[in-house]
Amino acid sequence: APGEAEVITIAEIISMMSSEGTVIDASADRYFEAVVQCDVEGGNYTNGNLPVAIENATAEKSAVTLYGSQVDPNTLGLAKGDKIKITLKAGLAKAQLYGGLYEVTGGKDETWCAIEKIGTSTVTPVVISDTDQLINYQGMTVTVNNSQPKENGRKWGDGTHTFISGGKEFTVYAKNTCAFAETVIDNTK
């Protein structure tokens, strides 16, 4: 049986990512603290995905996404800014690079992690200017400087939306349940 959980960093977890999934620690539970980045109340989340970042992080690769039904932020009652302790279970939690996403996951029917709310924190978006940087800030709250919607007159809740920043296009997905779903896009502002 594993002893007391040992600390692990997000950087250490990212360094062990593989497309097949790498067991984070076969013999000991590991834990880290992070801040919830998704906004369940505002509809800015995906079921079964819980993006978490180092508190007050502004550096690249400071976040991972927990994936699975047991980490659904809505089911857990988590809100953007909740500070949580994530305990990754020995032999069960895996670091998996899933289509380029830094994911921590486990077997569907296994209890591969435990989440405990330990406080709250302010989430301040990291401001970037180049959309090529987005991949390095995955799982983090970001603002893309000098961007504007390509479309005009559509409502936000219609799915994918194309934006332009620095002459480059990038796509943003909005759920029909987001807080601003009925707002009409006006690219003249």
Side-chain angles (χ1 to χ4, degrees):
E4 190 172 327
E6 301 172 15
V7 175
I8 191 166
T9 66
I10 286 176
E12 290 172 316
I13 293 169
I14 290 173
S15 74
M16 60 179 67
M17 291 283 164
S18 70
S19 58
E20 309 81 41
T22 302
V23 171
I24 291 173
D25 193 320
S27 59
D29 288 353
R30 303 297 292 264
Y31 77 91
F32 65 100
E33 294 178 359
V35 177
V36 173
Q37 301 294 297
C38 59
D39 181 8
V40 172
E41 185 178 333
N44 186 11
Y45 77 101
T46 303
N47 294 338
N49 285 275
L50 179 57
V52 296
I54 298 168
E55 187 172 21
N56 300 317
T58 58
E60 298 177 351
K61 298 183 179 180
S62 293
V64 293
T65 297
L66 306 178
Y67 173 75
S69 59
Q70 65 182 283
V71 295
D72 186 81
N74 189 34
T75 303
L76 294 173
L78 295 172
K80 182 177 179 180
D82 282 346
K83 188 172 180 180
I84 58 176
K85 177 180 177 182
I86 300 123
T87 302
L88 306 172
K89 300 301 184 175
L92 301 175
K94 296 178 181 178
Q96 184 169 354
L97 189 61
Y98 183 77
L101 177 66
Y102 301 137
E103 191 174 89
V104 177
T105 191
K108 182 179 179 183
D109 298 322
E110 298 174 330
T111 303
W112 54 270
C113 77
I115 296 176
E116 173 188 0
K117 182 178 172 183
I118 56 174
T120 57
S121 182
T122 301
V123 175
T124 304
V126 175
V127 179
I128 61 174
S129 298
D130 186 349
T131 56
D132 291 341
Q133 295 175 298
L134 281 170
I135 190 70
N136 296 322
Y137 290 95
Q138 60 174 278
M140 298 173 72
T141 303
V142 298
T143 296
V144 180
N145 223 5
N146 300 318
S147 61
Q148 74 175 73
K150 182 177 177 181
E151 304 122 338
N152 197 24
R154 257 180 83 195
K155 290 184 180 180
W156 270 105
D158 294 334
T160 60
H161 303 277
T162 303
F163 280 75
I164 301 171
S165 177
K168 297 178 187 174
E169 292 186 0
F170 65 101
T171 303
V172 173
Y173 177 77
K175 292 174 74 169
N176 288 333
T177 57
C178 71
F180 48 89
E182 292 301 312
T183 304
V184 174
I185 297 171
D186 182 356
N187 64 4
T188 63
K189 295 181 181 180

